[in-house]
Amino acid sequence: MTIQLYSFWRSNAAFRVRVALALKKLAFEEIEIDILSGRQFDADYAEVNAERVVPTLVHDGHRIFQSLAIMEYLDDIEPEPRLMPADAKERAYARSLALVSIADAHPLIVPRVRKHLGEAFGADADAIESWCKHWTVEGLATYERLLTRRPPAPFALGAAPGIADICIAGQIVMANLYKLDLAEFPTVAALGKQCFELPEFAEAHPFRQAGYRSGKTQH
């Protein structure tokens, strides 16, 4: 099995896929696409991913984009350990938790949105950062309400981490990037502690990637 991952150290979507690959113990070659410098718009990468975003997973020459689709695909090609529950109701719940970050919170702070805020509305760096913090907190607050209603045991859907935990951990990563305090979200913070005690989560964190360590710390 040959897997390549077009990725970037700061990409939250790429973080999710790195965790999924690690949980399934699937080896992969990582290819950096610097989305802060606009490398996703290079002609060569446009051939790989017409949406011009990361990540893109290439498996035996087949290209898959969008982190949720990639993670579900990994479940199909490597069934154990499962990221999605087998039960239909539990699977819907897991996917719903995942989409809070993937579809609601994270899309509002990605590079193209931040760029448009500056170009179309004259938002300066402080205003853009305030915008990003707001939507990151909104995602955390949503997760806190949901996890309070159904407490983790110890993970979101039981004994083992899955797709929901990966996405909640991704929301915590955004909080880390914007130096937000999780004190208002104790249930989320406790779940995050469970996740990041696992090497699969810890090693996938943006702060553990070579790009971050080499000083590429701009937002």
Side-chain angles (χ1 to χ4, degrees):
M1 183 184 297
T2 302
I3 295 176
Q4 294 174 312
L5 181 67
Y6 289 85
S7 178
F8 186 60
W9 69 266
R10 196 185 186 282
S11 165
N12 204 269
F15 161 79
R16 298 174 204 132
V17 175
R18 285 197 299 269
V19 175
L21 287 163
L23 287 171
K24 290 184 175 293
K25 303 190 185 313
L26 292 172
F28 63 98
E29 174 194 3
E30 192 161 13
I31 302 166
E32 182 178 271
I33 302 295
D34 188 343
I35 60 175
L36 297 180
S37 298
R39 299 269 66 90
Q40 67 271 37
F41 299 107
D42 289 354
D44 288 349
Y45 187 63
E47 288 296 314
V48 174
N49 186 323
E51 194 181 6
R52 299 179 294 188
V53 297
V54 296
T56 305
L57 184 128
V58 183
H59 173 226
D60 291 341
H62 181 66
R63 297 166 186 164
I64 307 128
F65 60 101
Q66 290 290 346
S67 64
L68 182 62
I70 293 170
M71 290 188 288
E72 293 197 27
Y73 177 79
L74 294 176
D75 251 5
D76 290 336
I77 65 170
E78 187 67 36
E80 297 297 334
R82 294 292 301 174
L83 300 177
M84 293 285 284
D87 176 78
K89 293 184 179 65
E90 290 291 271
R91 190 163 61 251
Y93 177 63
R95 191 179 284 114
S96 297
L97 286 176
L99 287 168
V100 169
S101 186
I102 289 177
D104 289 345
H106 180 231
L108 292 167
I109 69 169
V110 296
R112 62 178 177 266
V113 170
R114 302 199 302 267
K115 181 180 179 182
H116 188 66
L117 287 170
E119 292 180 349
F121 304 105
D124 62 15
D126 288 343
I128 292 170
E129 182 161 331
S130 177
W131 167 278
C132 293
K133 287 180 176 179
H134 170 80
W135 292 113
T136 300
V137 167
E138 284 293 303
L140 292 167
T142 300
Y143 277 134
E144 185 68 19
R145 293 193 301 272
L146 290 166
L147 295 178
T148 300
R149 181 173 296 181
R150 178 177 167 174
F155 295 100
L157 278 85
I163 199 167
D165 305 281
I166 292 171
C167 295
I168 295 167
Q171 196 68 24
I172 292 170
V173 164
M174 287 192 276
N176 297 157
L177 287 165
Y178 288 105
K179 300 178 181 178
L180 297 173
D181 190 349
L182 294 178
E184 292 183 49
F185 316 108
T187 313
V188 172
L191 177 60
K193 185 174 185 295
Q194 289 283 343
C195 291
F196 286 107
E197 284 178 349
L198 300 175
E200 292 87 353
F201 284 80
E203 293 301 320
H205 194 291
F207 295 170
R208 300 292 288 271
Q209 306 312 301
Y212 177 84
R213 294 196 302 269
S214 67
K216 300 175 184 177
T217 56
Q218 67 197 88
H219 289 318

